[in-house]
Amino acid sequence: MKVKKKVAFLLAGFMLLSLAACGNSPETEGPSSSEQNSASVAETDAEEVVFPDIKKQNYNGESFRMIGIREAGIWAYGEGYNSGKNQVLNDTLYEMNTMVEDYLGISIEYDYVQHITGESVVFDRVKPLVMAGDDTYQLCILPAYRNIASFVMQDCVMDFYELEGLNFDRPYWKRDVIESLKIGDHAYIATGDLCYYQVYPIYCNKDLLATVGREIPYDKVRNGTWTLDEFLALSTDLYADNGNGAVDNRDTFGYTAVCDMNINSFMQASNIYVVTRHDDGSFEFSLYNDRMINLYDKIYAWSKNESVYMWGWGDEINQTENVVVDFLDNRTYFTQEVLDTQFLSADFDFGILPLPKYEAAQEKYAHVNWGDNLVVPCTVKNTAMVSQALELMSYYSRVMVMPKYYDGVLELRVSDAPDDREMVELIFDTVVFDPGIAYCDGNTQLFNLVYLPNTCILSNQKSIASYYASNERGALHYLTKRIYG
């Protein structure tokens, strides 16, 4: 079928049994029947998420106030009036917030602050309040790395393990990610379905691929053989000149994308992390090894193929007319972009693929999150209320918000293209994070290493050795003394 307004996303893992079917604990008062009906939770045999073991409370309208850089109606918070383009998701978010408010007797509030590149707008707003001992905010929703190091190093956040009532074994939390970001025995950062996951998968133009007889590798993804080498081969030797005899952004390419986080994401997809936290609490500065050298050598050689065309983040932001290639122009076989709605207007059939594994023997696919993380200010007084609100909102994010996001916002349903829906379920099941990214806002050298693939590719460096060496000492000293010291 032609996908003009839709690309398919498998929601089987997110389409959950209705609340009425959930087995509540005998000691837990679940939502009323009217609340169950209003939740509009989709039903499937794939997964059952039981209502949290939380009794109904009455906190007499106490405020649960969040702060973040995403506007109302985008994620976590919805308002009770028309919010334009975000109306579909906003209504579900508003419904979720209302259900949690009614169940706990609280008032959920949200402060939006405009993100400014290079600045820590959330931390700058919250820190003075924390220093004054004010319990103004109960949750801070932070972009991937901005603000995090400041919050942690300046002792402004609470250990999530001190919030009794959070169950990180539930599917709406990312326990592995939370544990990977611990410092010692303390979990200062949390990630789960209450967060907006910002991942960068591969989009493919099915129509163009059909013209050259190349198949979409869905079966290879399923059997675990979708590897870096497979992707590099599939996306090369596809260049076609537009007739002017010059290589420019009006030609046809096998792969086009802004370099930046797209190319950086191949590190974690290949099970290479800037920083690795071990089970004993120790950390390893784990970026530079044979696997990373081989990964970069492959990507660098691939980037020199005439079918591959990339540009810098500045050109992307400024939409430089003679540089950027728009996937919607139907001249690109593969691209990478954040998983979102930007291609819904395509007049060609396109699909989506997870990032490839480095090799078939690698255990899992992995997609690094450049989206949200959660911290709780250390001045929070009513920790029981905060933990209950977080647990309930995370639960409803799983059973209400995510299904609505896929079906309503992205306009993608399982009946349209089940292969692509299956791919997206896999992508969201394999979200990871890198402690190096989490804390890189506090140190230039660590930041440089997080962006090593992007920087070295764009500066045409055949080897990463000298670039790594120039940043290693400062980054390691920062991690040892400031973060893990």
Side-chain angles (χ1 to χ4, degrees):
M1 64 157 226
K2 286 287 181 186
V3 182
K4 182 172 183 178
K5 283 277 196 179
K6 22 188 125 165
V7 170
F9 285 66
L10 180 58
L11 188 51
F14 294 139
M15 306 275 287
L16 308 170
L17 290 173
S18 69
L19 299 182
C22 290
N24 296 323
S25 165
E27 297 181 358
T28 303
E29 298 180 42
S32 66
S33 58
S34 62
E35 289 170 330
Q36 292 171 6
N37 292 335
S38 68
S40 303
V41 179
E43 185 171 336
T44 181
D45 292 331
E47 180 181 17
E48 177 181 353
V49 179
V50 178
F51 188 80
D53 186 16
I54 297 173
K55 296 180 180 179
K56 192 166 186 176
Q57 304 289 330
N58 183 8
Y59 288 109
N60 298 310
E62 185 173 344
S63 294
F64 178 82
R65 183 178 291 111
M66 304 177 285
I67 183 171
I69 64 166
R70 305 192 193 281
E71 297 178 79
I74 294 179
W75 213 260
Y77 181 78
E79 296 178 327
Y81 56 82
N82 191 303
S83 62
K85 66 179 181 179
N86 302 319
Q87 186 63 37
V88 173
L89 189 61
N90 178 81
D91 290 348
T92 301
L93 293 167
Y94 180 73
E95 185 179 8
M96 173 186 81
N97 296 151
T98 300
M99 293 174 70
V100 175
E101 286 177 328
D102 292 345
Y103 195 74
L104 296 180
I106 63 175
S107 174
I108 296 178
E109 302 168 12
Y110 182 76
D111 284 352
Y112 162 72
V113 289
Q114 178 69 49
H115 177 61
I116 301 174
T117 301
E119 297 189 19
S120 300
V121 292
V122 177
F123 179 73
D124 292 344
R125 175 79 65 88
V126 175
K127 182 190 175 183
L129 299 169
V130 170
M131 294 298 99
D134 292 342
D135 184 16
T136 303
Y137 293 107
Q138 287 71 50
L139 179 68
C140 302
I141 305 173
L142 307 178
Y145 56 78
R146 193 67 64 188
N147 305 271
I148 290 179
S150 298
F151 268 110
V152 173
M153 289 192 300
Q154 298 190 39
D155 298 322
C156 292
V157 291
M158 178 171 286
D159 183 352
F160 275 91
Y161 291 153
E162 296 178 7
L163 295 173
E164 295 184 9
L166 298 180
N167 187 346
F168 291 139
D169 288 325
R170 294 295 184 93
Y172 40 79
W173 293 108
K174 296 287 186 185
R175 172 181 277 280
D176 289 347
V177 176
I178 294 168
E179 291 182 344
S180 75
L181 296 175
K182 290 195 306 184
I183 296 177
D185 295 327
H186 304 289
Y188 297 119
I189 307 167
T191 300
D193 292 344
L194 184 56
C195 299
Y196 174 77
Y197 297 136
Q198 190 168 317
V199 292
Y200 289 80
I202 296 167
Y203 288 89
C204 56
N205 185 320
K206 294 182 179 180
D207 290 358
L208 285 181
L209 287 168
T211 65
V212 294
R214 298 193 183 186
E215 296 184 359
I216 315 296
Y218 295 126
D219 287 338
K220 289 181 178 179
V221 173
R222 295 183 182 107
N223 64 30
T225 60
W226 173 233
T227 63
L228 179 67
D229 288 342
E230 292 283 344
F231 169 66
L232 301 184
L234 193 61
S235 58
T236 51
D237 301 323
L238 294 168
Y239 172 78
D241 182 71
N242 70 346
N244 67 2
V247 177
D248 56 37
N249 68 330
R250 292 177 293 279
D251 296 336
T252 296
F253 297 95
Y255 173 94
T256 67
V258 59
C259 199
D260 204 57
M261 290 179 286
N262 290 320
I263 294 301
N264 292 340
S265 297
F266 278 96
M267 286 197 298
Q268 292 79 19
S270 299
N271 197 29
I272 298 168
Y273 291 80
V274 180
V275 175
T276 299
R277 185 191 185 280
H278 299 296
D279 291 340
D280 63 1
S282 64
F283 83 95
E284 177 187 358
F285 197 47
S286 52
L287 174 61
Y288 195 75
N289 50 43
D290 289 343
R291 193 181 185 95
M292 180 64 207
I293 293 171
N294 292 335
L295 171 68
Y296 183 79
D297 287 347
K298 289 182 178 184
I299 292 178
Y300 179 81
W302 168 73
S303 72
K304 297 305 175 184
N305 187 282
E306 63 179 359
S307 282
V308 177
Y309 181 90
M310 291 184 283
W311 56 91
W313 181 77
D315 293 318
E316 178 80 359
I317 293 300
N318 298 320
Q319 284 293 298
T320 307
E321 185 176 344
N322 63 346
V323 175
V324 173
V325 176
D326 191 338
F327 184 62
L328 293 174
D329 288 343
N330 200 17
R331 290 183 288 103
T332 297
Y333 289 80
F334 295 94
T335 191
Q336 259 181 284
E337 253 286 6
V338 65
L339 184 58
D340 209 334
T341 61
Q342 68 272 25
F343 299 139
L344 294 187
S345 62
D347 57 5
F348 54 85
D349 197 358
F350 70 94
I352 193 164
L353 292 165
L355 294 177
K357 298 189 292 184
Y358 179 78
E359 58 189 357
Q362 183 176 314
E363 182 180 359
K364 297 178 180 179
Y365 297 97
H367 298 83
V368 64
N369 177 29
W370 290 91
D372 295 340
N373 294 289
L374 309 175
V375 300
V376 172
C378 61
T379 48
V380 162
K381 295 180 174 59
N382 193 341
T383 56
M385 182 272 287
V386 170
S387 64
Q388 290 164 1
L390 282 173
E391 189 77 5
L392 289 171
M393 292 177 72
S394 299
Y395 166 78
Y396 284 125
S397 293
R398 181 75 166 191
V399 302
M400 291 174 60
V401 178
M402 296 196 80
K404 178 60 69 175
Y405 178 66
Y406 289 115
D407 286 347
V409 176
L410 300 179
E411 303 174 15
L412 311 169
R413 293 175 175 80
V414 68
S415 58
D416 296 324
D419 288 328
D420 295 303
R421 290 190 73 158
E422 183 179 350
M423 297 301 103
V424 170
E425 183 193 44
L426 183 154
I427 289 167
F428 276 86
D429 270 350
T430 54
V431 169
V432 299
F433 201 37
D434 189 323
I437 297 175
Y439 300 116
C440 74
D441 190 28
N443 179 261
T444 299
Q445 289 76 33
L446 181 58
F447 186 92
N448 290 343
L449 293 177
V450 165
Y451 280 84
L452 180 151
N454 164 76
T455 303
C456 291
I457 289 288
L458 290 181
S459 59
N460 199 30
Q461 297 188 41
K462 189 173 181 180
S463 168
I464 61 173
S466 62
Y467 183 84
Y468 176 84
S470 67
N471 288 284
E472 177 189 24
R473 183 176 179 181
L476 186 58
H477 181 267
Y478 164 75
L479 288 169
T480 303
K481 301 299 182 182
R482 303 293 302 280
I483 302 298
Y484 295 98

